[in-house]
């Protein structure tokens, strides 16, 4: 079973604050993703990457930056957090060549007050 | 508009009964995955499908790419089946999965 680890698991920050969510996968997967989950919307894709140094824009990228520093590590950055970014964030990974199973981390709950 | 429409949004079942969840796609889906999110929030993969059907215990899933839909059938529902079920579709070669908004299933004794 693929291992995807997120940190922190819970975070509270103030409006305008700076937050970094971290994700590490140890299965040499090419693709890594950041999703946010909100009631009524399911999971929406923020950013994704197909390898170190690569970044692709998802469906809801505004207010978020991301960086893939290594094959294993993918970071989501909120430089000026807003209350609308209060959400449950999931990192996921899968091997390339479309059609492989997507594996999720345990989620990071962010509250912006 | 929504690329993946999932129905129903919520469902309550008596233990031992059967039901079906459905996803309709407005993208040219080539593969579909179904996930269960447990009450703690963890997401677990249930099925990965190319067009066709798969079965695992009391769960059976089908994906029809021509008619652009997928179904998840739950037979003999148990309390531990409670949670939120998500479908996700991938359109050929792009390695991006689009999710439905989920079906919250409650199984009652």
């Amino acid at each position: 079973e693929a291992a995807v680890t997120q940190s922190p698991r819970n975070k509270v920050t103030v409006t305008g604050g700076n937050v970094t969510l971290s994700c590490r996968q140890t299965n040499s997967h090419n693709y890594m993703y950041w999703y946010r989950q909100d009631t009524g919307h399911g999971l929406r894709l923020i950013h994704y990457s197909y390898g170190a140094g690569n970044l692709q824009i998802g469906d809801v990228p505004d207010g978020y930056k991301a960086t893939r520093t290594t094959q294993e590590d993918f970071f989501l950055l909120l430089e000026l957090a807003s209350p609308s970014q209060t959400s449950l964030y999931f990192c996921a990974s899968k091997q390339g060549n479309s059609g492989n199973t997507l594996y999720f981390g345990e989620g990071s709950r962010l509250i912006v007050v | 508009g929504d690329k993946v429409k999932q129905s129903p949004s919520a469902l309550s079942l008596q233990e031992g009964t059967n039901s079906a969840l459905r996803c309709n796609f407005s993208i040219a889906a080539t593969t579909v995955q179904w996930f269960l999110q447990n009450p703690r929030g963890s997401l677990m993969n249930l099925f990965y499908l190319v067009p066709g059907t798969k079965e695992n215990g009391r769960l059976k899933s089908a994906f029809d790419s021509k008619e652009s839909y997928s179904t998840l059938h739950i037979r003999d529902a148990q309390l531990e089946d409670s949670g939120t079920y998500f479908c996700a579709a991938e359109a050929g070669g792009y390695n991006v999965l689009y999710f439905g908004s989920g079906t919250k299933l409650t199984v009652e004794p």
Side-chain angles (χ1 to χ4, degrees), chain B residues 47-62:
Chain B
F47 290 104
Y48 156 65
L49 294 156
V50 294
T53 62
K54 279 192 177 178
E55 193 165 355
N56 184 3
R58 296 178 293 101
L59 300 180
K60 182 176 180 178
S61 186

Side-chain angles (χ1 to χ4, degrees), chain A residues 35-55:
Chain A
Y35 287 91
R36 61 177 289 174
Q37 183 181 11
D38 305 287
T39 304
H41 290 281
L43 284 87
R44 293 181 291 174
L45 183 63
I46 304 170
H47 290 296
Y48 67 104
S49 166
Y50 58 72
N54 175 264
L55 181 65

Side-chain angles (χ1 to χ4, degrees), chain A residues 6-54:
Chain A
Q6 293 182 231
S7 64
R9 295 291 311 280
N10 294 280
K11 176 76 176 179
V12 179
T13 191
V14 296
T15 299
N18 195 320
V19 176
T20 298
L21 303 181
S22 302
C23 178
R24 167 165 280 206
Q25 55 92 7
T26 57
N27 293 279
S28 300
H29 286 169
N30 295 333
Y31 282 80
M32 295 184 74
Y33 307 83
W34 278 106
Y35 287 91
R36 61 177 289 174
Q37 183 181 11
D38 305 287
T39 304
H41 290 281
L43 284 87
R44 293 181 291 174
L45 183 63
I46 304 170
H47 290 296
Y48 67 104
S49 166
Y50 58 72
N54 175 264

Side-chain angles (χ1 to χ4, degrees), chain A residues 1 9 31 33 35 37 40-45 48 59 88 90 94-106, chain B residues 3 30-31 33 35 37 40-45 47-48 84 86 90-102:
Chain A
E1 182 78 8
R9 295 291 311 280
Y31 282 80
Y33 307 83
Y35 287 91
Q37 183 181 11
H41 290 281
L43 284 87
R44 293 181 291 174
L45 183 63
Y48 67 104
D59 291 333
L88 180 59
F90 284 99
K94 77 179 184 77
Q95 194 51 279
N97 305 319
S98 73
N100 294 97
T101 300
L102 190 66
Y103 294 94
F104 281 94
E106 291 297 300
Chain B
K3 298 179 177 67
T30 52
T31 66
Q33 299 191 34
F35 299 85
Q37 186 173 39
R40 293 191 320 275
S42 298
L43 283 154
M44 178 177 63
N45 188 282
F47 290 104
Y48 156 65
T84 302
F86 290 97
E90 184 173 358
Y94 292 99
N95 285 290
V96 172
L97 274 80
Y98 296 98
F99 281 77
S101 54

